[in-house]
Amino acid sequence: MLSLDLQSPITIHWIAFVPVIMSQGTPDQIDRWGSRAMRHEIMGAYLQTELGHGSNVAGLETTATFDKASAIIHSSTLTSTKWWAGGLGTTATHAVVQAQLILDGKGIGPHLFFVPLRSVETGQLFEGVHAGDIGPKAYGAFGGLDNGWARSDHYRIPRENMFMKHSQVTKEGQYVKPPSSKMSYLGMTFIRSQMIDRCGWMLSRGITIAIRYSSVRRQFRGPDSTTKSDEERAVISSLFSSSRKPRSLTSGWRLYDIRLAPDVASDVVYNPKRLFGVITLDVNRASTFLSGIANFKPAKVNVPIVSGHSGVTIVPLFYQVAHGFFVSAGELRAVREVQTLHPVWW
């Protein structure tokens, strides 16, 4: 299933292109490129991974050979082809390129360069640049992202297109070392951290779905049930059964005073002497809301809460309240406002 909010050329532009300009560029370079990138006048990609090399930045084969006032970007071998870069297939007009700096015939090591790829007006590749889309990925992954490949054939760029905040090649051809040889890795380090962050958000979606489903899905009667007429329990409540040894998940949740289904043993889940957490806050909000529209005393109402503490993940389980109650259609729509209510403590 395509999810453009998680995988699109715009995302790559903001997590892999703009941050490098801002962190590796001089004030003049930021003024020239950063402002245009911020306004989407240019769209960028980050070209590091090659067919023959990925995270091994020191082993990259793409070269940037300085020749007077220019740097010549060149892909000398098949394995030096830049590969998998998001946004490179059709979208990017410019790229941050990791290449081996060659100065006076001597290899200095990998450095970052700002490289124009396509005309902003026509979208056509510049002479000396060969690039395209790598095609469909396995199982339809990253369907909204035009991952691409690129090769450079003695492609000449100005000397000033080398990112020079930390290291420089002067007009006289002299190399100025950075404070640390690892400074050029900062951009990729940031990208890696963003990958972890986005994986967390995607995982949270799956967890939210699982918790919501296991809260409404009923299966099997409780271990203390003696008659077939007993109601089957919500799947999630089996995690907190008093007849079983509490799972590791239980001890972690107890700190937040989570109150789940009515058949959950209080000695396993709820301990008022423990930390007063955000879930208790949401329980009070939901209970106050329900008591207001159903004419109950707040202290007598306990609305179980599952999931997270935000407007899109909080799930009040009104159907599990012990009291019978009736609400109108308008009041039912107001359930969405539970998260914004002021808590009432008792």
mmCIF file of all heavy atoms in Angstrom, residues 206-237:
data_model
loop_
_atom_site.group_PDB
_atom_site.id
_atom_site.type_symbol
_atom_site.label_atom_id
_atom_site.label_comp_id
_atom_site.label_asym_id
_atom_site.label_seq_id
_atom_site.Cartn_x
_atom_site.Cartn_y
_atom_site.Cartn_z
ATOM 1 N N GLY A 206 1.310 0.264 13.726
ATOM 2 C CA GLY A 206 0.958 -1.144 13.860
ATOM 3 C C GLY A 206 0.529 -1.497 15.270
ATOM 4 O O GLY A 206 -0.429 -2.255 15.474
ATOM 5 N N ILE A 207 1.239 -0.942 16.260
ATOM 6 C CA ILE A 207 0.896 -1.220 17.656
ATOM 7 C C ILE A 207 -0.485 -0.669 17.989
ATOM 8 O O ILE A 207 -1.281 -1.310 18.682
ATOM 9 C CB ILE A 207 1.963 -0.619 18.591
ATOM 10 C CG1 ILE A 207 3.283 -1.375 18.427
ATOM 11 C CG2 ILE A 207 1.498 -0.656 20.041
ATOM 12 C CD1 ILE A 207 4.426 -0.780 19.205
ATOM 13 N N THR A 208 -0.779 0.536 17.492
ATOM 14 C CA THR A 208 -2.093 1.135 17.744
ATOM 15 C C THR A 208 -3.203 0.262 17.182
ATOM 16 O O THR A 208 -4.221 0.013 17.836
ATOM 17 C CB THR A 208 -2.166 2.541 17.123
ATOM 18 O OG1 THR A 208 -1.172 3.372 17.724
ATOM 19 C CG2 THR A 208 -3.540 3.157 17.340
ATOM 20 N N ILE A 209 -3.013 -0.226 15.959
ATOM 21 C CA ILE A 209 -4.011 -1.105 15.338
ATOM 22 C C ILE A 209 -4.183 -2.375 16.166
ATOM 23 O O ILE A 209 -5.303 -2.827 16.437
ATOM 24 C CB ILE A 209 -3.600 -1.455 13.901
ATOM 25 C CG1 ILE A 209 -3.660 -0.207 13.018
ATOM 26 C CG2 ILE A 209 -4.501 -2.552 13.327
ATOM 27 C CD1 ILE A 209 -3.071 -0.406 11.635
ATOM 28 N N ALA A 210 -3.055 -2.958 16.595
ATOM 29 C CA ALA A 210 -3.113 -4.210 17.352
ATOM 30 C C ALA A 210 -3.823 -4.023 18.690
ATOM 31 O O ALA A 210 -4.646 -4.854 19.098
ATOM 32 C CB ALA A 210 -1.700 -4.744 17.571
ATOM 33 N N ILE A 211 -3.519 -2.928 19.391
ATOM 34 C CA ILE A 211 -4.140 -2.688 20.695
ATOM 35 C C ILE A 211 -5.633 -2.429 20.540
ATOM 36 O O ILE A 211 -6.455 -2.948 21.303
ATOM 37 C CB ILE A 211 -3.452 -1.507 21.408
ATOM 38 C CG1 ILE A 211 -2.028 -1.897 21.817
ATOM 39 C CG2 ILE A 211 -4.250 -1.074 22.634
ATOM 40 C CD1 ILE A 211 -1.248 -0.781 22.465
ATOM 41 N N ARG A 212 -5.989 -1.641 19.545
ATOM 42 C CA ARG A 212 -7.410 -1.358 19.341
ATOM 43 C C ARG A 212 -8.178 -2.634 19.001
ATOM 44 O O ARG A 212 -9.266 -2.877 19.531
ATOM 45 C CB ARG A 212 -7.576 -0.324 18.223
ATOM 46 C CG ARG A 212 -7.167 1.081 18.635
ATOM 47 C CD ARG A 212 -7.279 2.056 17.479
ATOM 48 N NE ARG A 212 -7.044 3.414 17.929
ATOM 49 C CZ ARG A 212 -7.001 4.470 17.121
ATOM 50 N NH1 ARG A 212 -7.177 4.312 15.824
ATOM 51 N NH2 ARG A 212 -6.782 5.676 17.607
ATOM 52 N N TYR A 213 -7.615 -3.440 18.119
ATOM 53 C CA TYR A 213 -8.306 -4.664 17.726
ATOM 54 C C TYR A 213 -8.420 -5.626 18.901
ATOM 55 O O TYR A 213 -9.485 -6.214 19.138
ATOM 56 C CB TYR A 213 -7.566 -5.344 16.576
ATOM 57 C CG TYR A 213 -8.197 -6.652 16.163
ATOM 58 C CD1 TYR A 213 -9.371 -6.674 15.407
ATOM 59 C CD2 TYR A 213 -7.640 -7.869 16.556
ATOM 60 C CE1 TYR A 213 -9.964 -7.863 15.044
ATOM 61 C CE2 TYR A 213 -8.225 -9.068 16.197
ATOM 62 C CZ TYR A 213 -9.389 -9.062 15.440
ATOM 63 O OH TYR A 213 -9.975 -10.249 15.091
ATOM 64 N N SER A 214 -7.329 -5.789 19.654
ATOM 65 C CA SER A 214 -7.365 -6.736 20.770
ATOM 66 C C SER A 214 -8.245 -6.241 21.909
ATOM 67 O O SER A 214 -8.585 -7.002 22.813
ATOM 68 C CB SER A 214 -5.945 -7.000 21.292
ATOM 69 O OG SER A 214 -5.353 -5.814 21.772
ATOM 70 N N SER A 215 -8.630 -4.962 21.864
ATOM 71 C CA SER A 215 -9.528 -4.427 22.887
ATOM 72 C C SER A 215 -10.990 -4.714 22.557
ATOM 73 O O SER A 215 -11.822 -4.820 23.453
ATOM 74 C CB SER A 215 -9.329 -2.913 23.029
ATOM 75 O OG SER A 215 -8.015 -2.627 23.442
ATOM 76 N N VAL A 216 -11.317 -4.819 21.282
ATOM 77 C CA VAL A 216 -12.709 -5.066 20.894
ATOM 78 C C VAL A 216 -12.948 -6.518 20.495
ATOM 79 O O VAL A 216 -14.083 -6.991 20.500
ATOM 80 C CB VAL A 216 -13.127 -4.140 19.730
ATOM 81 C CG1 VAL A 216 -13.038 -2.693 20.156
ATOM 82 C CG2 VAL A 216 -12.263 -4.381 18.499
ATOM 83 N N ARG A 217 -11.895 -7.228 20.161
ATOM 84 C CA ARG A 217 -12.016 -8.634 19.793
ATOM 85 C C ARG A 217 -12.158 -9.484 21.053
ATOM 86 O O ARG A 217 -11.314 -9.451 21.944
ATOM 87 C CB ARG A 217 -10.786 -9.068 19.006
ATOM 88 C CG ARG A 217 -10.604 -10.566 18.836
ATOM 89 C CD ARG A 217 -11.681 -11.189 17.982
ATOM 90 N NE ARG A 217 -11.362 -12.580 17.676
ATOM 91 C CZ ARG A 217 -12.220 -13.440 17.169
ATOM 92 N NH1 ARG A 217 -13.458 -13.052 16.906
ATOM 93 N NH2 ARG A 217 -11.861 -14.678 16.902
ATOM 94 N N ARG A 218 -13.254 -10.242 21.156
ATOM 95 C CA ARG A 218 -13.483 -11.100 22.316
ATOM 96 C C ARG A 218 -13.274 -12.556 21.929
ATOM 97 O O ARG A 218 -13.734 -13.000 20.877
ATOM 98 C CB ARG A 218 -14.889 -10.881 22.873
ATOM 99 C CG ARG A 218 -15.055 -9.504 23.494
ATOM 100 C CD ARG A 218 -16.413 -9.322 24.142
ATOM 101 N NE ARG A 218 -16.472 -8.059 24.857
ATOM 102 C CZ ARG A 218 -16.058 -7.886 26.103
ATOM 103 N NH1 ARG A 218 -15.571 -8.921 26.782
ATOM 104 N NH2 ARG A 218 -16.129 -6.704 26.675
ATOM 105 N N GLN A 219 -12.585 -13.265 22.801
ATOM 106 C CA GLN A 219 -12.251 -14.656 22.492
ATOM 107 C C GLN A 219 -11.992 -15.431 23.779
ATOM 108 O O GLN A 219 -11.130 -15.038 24.568
ATOM 109 C CB GLN A 219 -11.012 -14.685 21.595
ATOM 110 C CG GLN A 219 -10.596 -16.072 21.146
ATOM 111 C CD GLN A 219 -9.485 -16.001 20.115
ATOM 112 O OE1 GLN A 219 -9.694 -15.565 19.005
ATOM 113 N NE2 GLN A 219 -8.293 -16.429 20.508
ATOM 114 N N PHE A 220 -12.751 -16.468 24.028
ATOM 115 C CA PHE A 220 -12.631 -17.353 25.182
ATOM 116 C C PHE A 220 -13.107 -16.679 26.474
ATOM 117 O O PHE A 220 -12.971 -15.474 26.652
ATOM 118 C CB PHE A 220 -11.194 -17.854 25.373
ATOM 119 C CG PHE A 220 -10.637 -18.542 24.169
ATOM 120 C CD1 PHE A 220 -9.520 -18.031 23.518
ATOM 121 C CD2 PHE A 220 -11.232 -19.681 23.664
ATOM 122 C CE1 PHE A 220 -9.007 -18.649 22.397
ATOM 123 C CE2 PHE A 220 -10.725 -20.312 22.541
ATOM 124 C CZ PHE A 220 -9.611 -19.799 21.903
ATOM 125 N N ARG A 221 -13.660 -17.498 27.340
ATOM 126 C CA ARG A 221 -14.078 -17.018 28.653
ATOM 127 C C ARG A 221 -12.878 -16.976 29.593
ATOM 128 O O ARG A 221 -11.825 -17.541 29.310
ATOM 129 C CB ARG A 221 -15.165 -17.935 29.226
ATOM 130 C CG ARG A 221 -16.430 -17.990 28.367
ATOM 131 C CD ARG A 221 -17.524 -18.773 29.071
ATOM 132 N NE ARG A 221 -17.117 -20.148 29.352
ATOM 133 C CZ ARG A 221 -17.225 -21.150 28.487
ATOM 134 N NH1 ARG A 221 -17.710 -20.916 27.271
ATOM 135 N NH2 ARG A 221 -16.852 -22.369 28.811
ATOM 136 N N GLY A 222 -13.046 -16.313 30.716
ATOM 137 C CA GLY A 222 -11.974 -16.193 31.679
ATOM 138 C C GLY A 222 -11.610 -17.521 32.314
ATOM 139 O O GLY A 222 -12.413 -18.468 32.322
ATOM 140 N N PRO A 223 -10.417 -17.641 32.879
ATOM 141 C CA PRO A 223 -9.972 -18.903 33.483
ATOM 142 C C PRO A 223 -10.803 -19.311 34.696
ATOM 143 O O PRO A 223 -10.816 -20.485 35.071
ATOM 144 C CB PRO A 223 -8.516 -18.611 33.868
ATOM 145 C CG PRO A 223 -8.447 -17.126 33.989
ATOM 146 C CD PRO A 223 -9.394 -16.596 32.966
ATOM 147 N N ASP A 224 -11.515 -18.353 35.302
ATOM 148 C CA ASP A 224 -12.341 -18.659 36.468
ATOM 149 C C ASP A 224 -13.797 -18.909 36.091
ATOM 150 O O ASP A 224 -14.649 -19.086 36.969
ATOM 151 C CB ASP A 224 -12.265 -17.505 37.477
ATOM 152 C CG ASP A 224 -10.841 -17.259 37.953
ATOM 153 O OD1 ASP A 224 -10.095 -18.246 38.104
ATOM 154 O OD2 ASP A 224 -10.484 -16.083 38.161
ATOM 155 N N SER A 225 -14.091 -18.900 34.785
ATOM 156 C CA SER A 225 -15.470 -19.094 34.335
ATOM 157 C C SER A 225 -15.937 -20.521 34.618
ATOM 158 O O SER A 225 -15.186 -21.491 34.459
ATOM 159 C CB SER A 225 -15.566 -18.801 32.837
ATOM 160 O OG SER A 225 -16.843 -19.133 32.350
ATOM 161 N N THR A 226 -17.220 -20.641 35.039
ATOM 162 C CA THR A 226 -17.783 -21.964 35.347
ATOM 163 C C THR A 226 -18.975 -22.312 34.474
ATOM 164 O O THR A 226 -19.410 -23.462 34.451
ATOM 165 C CB THR A 226 -18.217 -22.017 36.823
ATOM 166 O OG1 THR A 226 -19.156 -20.962 37.080
ATOM 167 C CG2 THR A 226 -17.003 -21.862 37.745
ATOM 168 N N THR A 227 -19.522 -21.324 33.751
ATOM 169 C CA THR A 227 -20.689 -21.578 32.907
ATOM 170 C C THR A 227 -20.442 -21.065 31.496
ATOM 171 O O THR A 227 -19.709 -20.096 31.286
ATOM 172 C CB THR A 227 -21.939 -20.882 33.476
ATOM 173 O OG1 THR A 227 -21.739 -19.467 33.457
ATOM 174 C CG2 THR A 227 -22.207 -21.346 34.899
ATOM 175 N N LYS A 228 -21.096 -21.713 30.540
ATOM 176 C CA LYS A 228 -20.938 -21.325 29.144
ATOM 177 C C LYS A 228 -21.589 -19.988 28.838
ATOM 178 O O LYS A 228 -21.308 -19.370 27.810
ATOM 179 C CB LYS A 228 -21.537 -22.401 28.241
ATOM 180 C CG LYS A 228 -20.777 -23.719 28.276
ATOM 181 C CD LYS A 228 -21.378 -24.713 27.292
ATOM 182 C CE LYS A 228 -20.589 -26.018 27.292
ATOM 183 N NZ LYS A 228 -21.152 -27.009 26.332
ATOM 184 N N SER A 229 -22.460 -19.541 29.722
ATOM 185 C CA SER A 229 -23.144 -18.268 29.484
ATOM 186 C C SER A 229 -22.269 -17.062 29.815
ATOM 187 O O SER A 229 -22.623 -15.930 29.491
ATOM 188 C CB SER A 229 -24.428 -18.200 30.313
ATOM 189 O OG SER A 229 -24.127 -18.298 31.702
ATOM 190 N N ASP A 230 -21.135 -17.297 30.471
ATOM 191 C CA ASP A 230 -20.236 -16.185 30.789
ATOM 192 C C ASP A 230 -19.722 -15.547 29.500
ATOM 193 O O ASP A 230 -19.430 -16.236 28.518
ATOM 194 C CB ASP A 230 -19.049 -16.671 31.620
ATOM 195 C CG ASP A 230 -19.457 -17.046 33.036
ATOM 196 O OD1 ASP A 230 -20.553 -16.618 33.455
ATOM 197 O OD2 ASP A 230 -18.692 -17.768 33.701
ATOM 198 N N GLU A 231 -19.611 -14.232 29.540
ATOM 199 C CA GLU A 231 -19.178 -13.502 28.354
ATOM 200 C C GLU A 231 -17.702 -13.754 28.063
ATOM 201 O O GLU A 231 -16.880 -13.849 28.980
ATOM 202 C CB GLU A 231 -19.414 -12.002 28.546
ATOM 203 C CG GLU A 231 -19.151 -11.178 27.302
ATOM 204 C CD GLU A 231 -19.434 -9.705 27.532
ATOM 205 O OE1 GLU A 231 -19.238 -9.254 28.678
ATOM 206 O OE2 GLU A 231 -19.840 -9.022 26.580
ATOM 207 N N GLU A 232 -17.386 -13.868 26.775
ATOM 208 C CA GLU A 232 -15.983 -14.010 26.401
ATOM 209 C C GLU A 232 -15.241 -12.709 26.687
ATOM 210 O O GLU A 232 -15.819 -11.621 26.664
ATOM 211 C CB GLU A 232 -15.867 -14.370 24.917
ATOM 212 C CG GLU A 232 -16.380 -15.759 24.593
ATOM 213 C CD GLU A 232 -16.126 -16.123 23.144
ATOM 214 O OE1 GLU A 232 -16.088 -15.206 22.302
ATOM 215 O OE2 GLU A 232 -15.957 -17.320 22.854
ATOM 216 N N ARG A 233 -13.968 -12.825 26.939
ATOM 217 C CA ARG A 233 -13.175 -11.666 27.337
ATOM 218 C C ARG A 233 -12.514 -11.003 26.134
ATOM 219 O O ARG A 233 -12.254 -11.642 25.110
ATOM 220 C CB ARG A 233 -12.080 -12.085 28.318
ATOM 221 C CG ARG A 233 -12.591 -12.738 29.585
ATOM 222 C CD ARG A 233 -11.431 -13.059 30.500
ATOM 223 N NE ARG A 233 -10.414 -13.857 29.819
ATOM 224 C CZ ARG A 233 -9.163 -13.977 30.236
ATOM 225 N NH1 ARG A 233 -8.775 -13.339 31.322
ATOM 226 N NH2 ARG A 233 -8.307 -14.725 29.583
ATOM 227 N N ALA A 234 -12.207 -9.706 26.296
ATOM 228 C CA ALA A 234 -11.398 -9.018 25.296
ATOM 229 C C ALA A 234 -10.016 -9.666 25.269
ATOM 230 O O ALA A 234 -9.464 -10.033 26.311
ATOM 231 C CB ALA A 234 -11.280 -7.535 25.631
ATOM 232 N N VAL A 235 -9.457 -9.823 24.084
ATOM 233 C CA VAL A 235 -8.171 -10.506 23.943
ATOM 234 C C VAL A 235 -7.095 -9.847 24.794
ATOM 235 O O VAL A 235 -6.278 -10.520 25.420
ATOM 236 C CB VAL A 235 -7.740 -10.524 22.460
ATOM 237 C CG1 VAL A 235 -6.323 -11.066 22.317
ATOM 238 C CG2 VAL A 235 -8.709 -11.366 21.639
ATOM 239 N N ILE A 236 -7.108 -8.520 24.857
ATOM 240 C CA ILE A 236 -6.041 -7.828 25.578
ATOM 241 C C ILE A 236 -6.073 -8.125 27.069
ATOM 242 O O ILE A 236 -5.047 -8.083 27.746
ATOM 243 C CB ILE A 236 -6.122 -6.302 25.338
ATOM 244 C CG1 ILE A 236 -4.797 -5.643 25.735
ATOM 245 C CG2 ILE A 236 -7.293 -5.682 26.084
ATOM 246 C CD1 ILE A 236 -4.700 -4.189 25.340
ATOM 247 N N SER A 237 -7.254 -8.453 27.606
ATOM 248 C CA SER A 237 -7.350 -8.690 29.043
ATOM 249 C C SER A 237 -6.649 -9.971 29.458
ATOM 250 O O SER A 237 -6.315 -10.153 30.629
ATOM 251 C CB SER A 237 -8.816 -8.737 29.475
ATOM 252 O OG SER A 237 -9.469 -9.852 28.889
#
